[in-house]
Amino acid sequence: MGASHSHRNKHCHSHQSPINICTKKARHDPILKPLNIQYDSKTSKRIVNMGHCFNVEFDDTADMSVINDGPLTGKYRLRQFHFHWGSTDADGSEHVIDGKVYPAELHIVHWNSHRYPTFEEAAKHPDGLAVIGVLLKIGEKNPVLQTIIDNLGQVKTKGKEHMLIKYELSSMLPKDLNYWTYPGSLTTEPYFECVTWIVLQHAIPISSAQLTQFRGLLCTAENEKPVPILENHRRVQRLHDRVARSSCT
Ligand SMILES: O=C(O)/C=C/c1cccc(OCc2cccc(CC(=O)O)c2)c1
Ligand SMILES: [Zn+2]
């Protein structure tokens, strides 16, 4: 078989996300650096109901809110964050840790402004995006999340957006930034295999009442019969030839 044929037959779906992370197989790689996160609250812009979730969008016209180091080469610019959740607290995360599912998951999306001119261009390359995944566990009410939840009423229907001024995203993160990392994909359309996943090993709390408010968002537009976004998480995908690495022993 000629090279071109084998190229054509190469899996182009072998690096899909999310995955089940087997922590025992995720070996510590000493080359991995601590994650460096520098978010400027002045870059927060608005919250938008996307139909299948809500995005909190940031001004990514310059390297103001960025991450670097960790498994990354160069700076990656903060673009948006969003959540995935389930129809009950028993389900909802996308990544699974040693078979354990969490009730929700936060995705903080960054793109490689070091190498590519735009987010859309970066999304066409394996080193184009870096997404920090943070697992959510049911616990006490989370005051930083409450600021977002207080605004959901303004974006109840698909396409609605509302300003969000000076949001301190860094205060939502755990103090412990140890992570697992592996090469993967977007977990929704268009599923591009362009993501360096950085899944934090420490979960953050959300109360059951707060999580219930996510499910009150509608995937329908204002003038349509209301349909709630009860769940929006993708099932785990095959690992194929990939290895997840840990930032710590
Ligand atoms: O034409 C379209 O509808 C889409 C175009 C497009 C073009 C390039 C990229 C891209 O990414 C969407 C995206 C961004 C960030 C995260 C996710 C998946 C998730 O929910 O975690 C999806 C979308
Ligand atoms: Zn996501």
Side-chain angles (χ1 to χ4, degrees):
M1 174 144 2
S4 61
H5 287 292
S6 63
H7 170 73
R8 243 202 318 271
N9 291 345
K10 186 170 83 64
H11 272 313
C12 53
H13 295 292
S14 66
H15 282 199
Q16 287 292 294
S17 294
I19 60 168
N20 172 46
I21 296 173
C22 300
T23 59
K24 298 283 174 288
K25 292 181 192 159
R27 285 167 43 99
H28 168 50
D29 184 342
I31 198 173
L32 291 173
K33 298 177 185 166
L35 196 51
N36 183 32
I37 297 179
Q38 315 224 300
Y39 294 152
D40 177 344
S41 63
K42 289 195 293 297
T43 57
S44 74
K45 284 194 323 191
R46 61 177 171 272
I47 186 168
V48 186
N49 182 326
M50 305 301 286
H52 61 279
C53 74
F54 63 91
N55 285 358
V56 175
E57 297 178 350
F58 290 77
D59 172 1
D60 64 347
T61 54
D63 279 351
M64 291 179 285
S65 290
V66 294
I67 59 173
N68 64 309
D69 290 343
L72 304 171
T73 302
K75 284 182 180 177
Y76 283 64
R77 209 178 274 180
L78 172 64
R79 181 170 175 89
Q80 53 105 325
F81 71 82
H82 60 270
F83 296 85
H84 298 267
W85 58 86
S87 50
T88 72
D89 293 358
D91 209 355
S93 67
E94 299 210 305
H95 288 93
V96 173
I97 311 301
D98 291 332
K100 179 183 168 61
V101 177
Y102 287 76
E105 183 170 331
L106 161 64
H107 286 165
I108 311 175
V109 180
H110 312 76
W111 57 277
N112 188 338
S113 55
H114 172 68
R115 281 194 67 184
Y116 307 110
T118 64
F119 167 82
E120 286 74 12
E121 181 55 34
K124 296 172 188 159
H125 304 273
D127 64 350
L129 302 192
V131 182
I132 296 177
V134 187
L135 296 156
L136 276 69
K137 61 184 179 185
I138 299 297
E140 71 280 2
K141 182 176 175 181
N142 185 319
V144 181
L145 267 174
Q146 193 55 40
T147 308
I148 298 295
I149 289 166
D150 289 340
N151 284 278
L152 292 183
Q154 312 281 345
V155 295
K156 197 158 177 61
T157 51
K158 181 176 180 178
K160 288 206 77 174
E161 58 185 65
H162 187 67
M163 280 172 61
L164 194 71
I165 310 284
K166 283 185 71 65
Y167 185 74
E168 285 285 356
L169 174 55
S170 49
S171 57
M172 199 191 301
L173 297 176
K175 286 178 296 303
D176 179 346
L177 292 179
N178 274 303
Y179 59 87
W180 296 288
T181 184
Y182 77 96
S185 75
L186 301 174
T187 63
T188 63
E189 285 298 334
Y191 301 110
F192 290 161
E193 298 188 341
C194 62
V195 181
T196 298
W197 277 97
I198 300 169
V199 180
L200 298 192
Q201 297 179 2
H202 196 96
I204 61 170
I206 183 170
S207 71
S208 193
Q210 287 181 307
L211 196 46
T212 301
Q213 315 237 353
F214 284 8
R215 302 186 193 102
L217 276 176
L218 303 181
C219 64
T220 43
E222 208 160 358
N223 56 344
E224 293 172 338
K225 181 176 174 302
V227 176
I229 307 175
L230 293 178
E231 62 180 339
N232 58 8
H233 60 97
R234 191 189 195 191
R235 72 187 186 293
V236 293
Q237 307 293 305
R238 265 192 266 288
L239 194 58
H240 292 291
D241 65 345
R242 294 176 287 179
V243 170
R245 295 175 290 159
S246 175
S247 67
C248 64
T249 50

